[in-house]
Amino acid sequence: MDAKTSLRHALQTGREALLWKLEGLTGYDVRRPMTPTGTNLLGLVKHLSYVEMGYFGPTFGRSVPEVEPWLADDLEPNADMWATAGESRADVLALYRRAWAVTDATVAELPLDAPGEVSWWHPDRRAVTLHQVLVHVVAETHRHAGHADVVREMVDGAAGLRSGGGNLPEVDAAWWSGYRDRLEQVARDAAGR
């Protein structure tokens, strides 16, 4: 597999891991803020939609009108990290698929050494290549898929790389409960409690 194909594969794996975290959940559960900073599953998808559109559109001189408002200086902080009541799950998922199309077209059409400029980065680091941006977005996608792992587990206990687990030990709920209790005791012992 060449570098571009490998990176595209890694990106798609992260995308799919993120999306399955929404499967089978209610509209409330995909929007529930599960951390003190409001992290929620649908917000992670919306955020990554604008990440992909921004990095693979304007960065490489490609027009993506949908992302332009999100690059404005007067945007409310974290506006891309949650879906409004008027934005349905289907709307956000469609937005993410459109972002994929922007990314996939840019990656397909440009060589890895194609130059770009990330306008919102520090001036000393704004000059980039497609390769650098692709690595950055793969890392960001997997980082947020990891957030989604934790949020989904907090919502209903579902965990793993894909539906049905896929990368966790095949053990029952009693084993997990005992395991967690053991880790709690180790933490207490290490802290001298």
Side-chain angles (χ1 to χ4, degrees), residues 102-116:
V102 168
T103 298
D104 294 346
T106 300
V107 172
E109 294 169 17
L110 300 177
L112 285 176
D113 62 353

Side-chain angles (χ1 to χ4, degrees), residues 16-105:
E16 290 169 7
L18 178 66
L19 288 185
W20 99 255
K21 298 300 179 178
L22 280 70
E23 288 180 14
L25 294 178
T26 66
Y28 170 71
D29 283 336
V30 298
R31 294 170 184 273
R32 272 173 79 184
M34 297 301 293
T35 69
T37 58
T39 303
N40 65 90
L41 294 168
L42 201 55
L44 291 169
V45 175
K46 183 177 175 181
H47 170 69
L48 284 172
S49 299
Y50 291 112
V51 164
E52 288 201 34
M53 286 181 183
Y55 278 110
F56 293 99
T59 295
F60 294 97
R62 301 164 79 87
S63 177
V64 182
E66 208 162 6
V67 78
E68 289 171 12
W70 296 96
L71 300 176
D73 290 334
D74 62 347
L75 186 66
E76 174 190 341
N78 274 4
D80 64 331
M81 295 297 292
W82 59 283
T84 67
E87 294 172 310
S88 70
R89 177 193 324 224
D91 293 338
V92 175
L93 294 178
L95 177 70
Y96 198 33
R97 301 260 184 219
R98 289 192 304 277
W100 294 8
V102 168
T103 298
D104 294 346

Side-chain angles (χ1 to χ4, degrees), residues 4 10 19 33 48 52 71 73 90-92 103 121 124 128 132 137 140 149 154 157-158 161 180:
K4 189 187 278 192
L19 288 185
L48 284 172
E52 288 201 34
L71 300 176
D73 290 334
D91 293 338
V92 175
T103 298
W121 283 9
D124 295 344
V128 294
Q132 289 171 294
V137 173
E140 184 154 350
D149 287 341
M154 291 170 67
L161 180 61
R180 189 193 174 290

